[in-house]
Amino acid sequence: MKKPKPLYLVVIGLLSLMLTVSSAWPQSGRRIHYSTLFNPATVGTVSGEVVRVEQVLSGNGADYCVHALLKTPKGQVTAILAPKSFMDERRLAIAAKDRVTVTGSRISIQGKPFILAMEVTGDRTMKLREASGRPAWAVGEDWHIR
């Protein structure tokens, strides 16, 4: 029987390592399931002008989450709204220069202030979460609250 060449073994080893690392990546904690950060004890309201709207890859990587950077009298805060697909389906829109009031759970991510939106009021009202933090787009009990 012919002995495998060392280069062949190295290639097989590298491929195995790549598969192991790529399958572990989603569980590495790099993406945040925002719902796990919701805390009813920190619910408050902020009002301000939308500086910009961003789409950030969601915690499960399957959709984008809409964020709105607000300029408030106390500084800037980012409102985490909802998955882009949810907002598109319901024709919910927010844009730069909109004046809004956001009610939600005040949180901090890497030392920066955020508000996990339950309701956004501007020209119309967007109901995004229940008082418990359960998202309007949640299906069943799988909505990532600890």
Side-chain angles (χ1 to χ4, degrees), residues 48-56 65-72 76-81 87 93-100 102 112-114 120:
E49 182 178 312
V50 177
V51 174
R52 73 176 175 267
V53 177
E54 302 171 329
Q55 296 175 19
V56 179
C65 184
V66 178
H67 290 194
L69 179 64
L70 305 176
K71 182 172 72 174
T72 74
Q76 291 189 337
V77 62
T78 299
I80 301 170
L81 304 180
M87 294 189 66
I94 190 165
K97 306 272 187 207
D98 287 352
R99 298 223 26 98
V100 296
V102 179
K112 295 181 181 174
F114 288 81
V120 179

Side-chain angles (χ1 to χ4, degrees), residues 75-142:
Q76 291 189 337
V77 62
T78 299
I80 301 170
L81 304 180
K84 181 182 180 321
S85 60
F86 175 83
M87 294 189 66
D88 289 348
E89 287 167 8
R90 285 158 184 79
R91 295 190 175 134
L92 303 174
I94 190 165
K97 306 272 187 207
D98 287 352
R99 298 223 26 98
V100 296
T101 298
V102 179
T103 301
S105 177
R106 293 173 185 260
I107 60 175
S108 178
I109 301 172
Q110 295 180 340
K112 295 181 181 174
F114 288 81
I115 186 163
L116 194 51
M118 293 169 43
E119 183 177 283
V120 179
T121 305
D123 290 343
R124 65 189 269 201
T125 299
M126 293 185 249
K127 299 261 186 195
L128 303 174
R129 294 177 179 275
E130 296 173 6
S132 65
R134 181 183 174 83
W137 57 92
V139 176
E141 294 303 313
D142 183 23

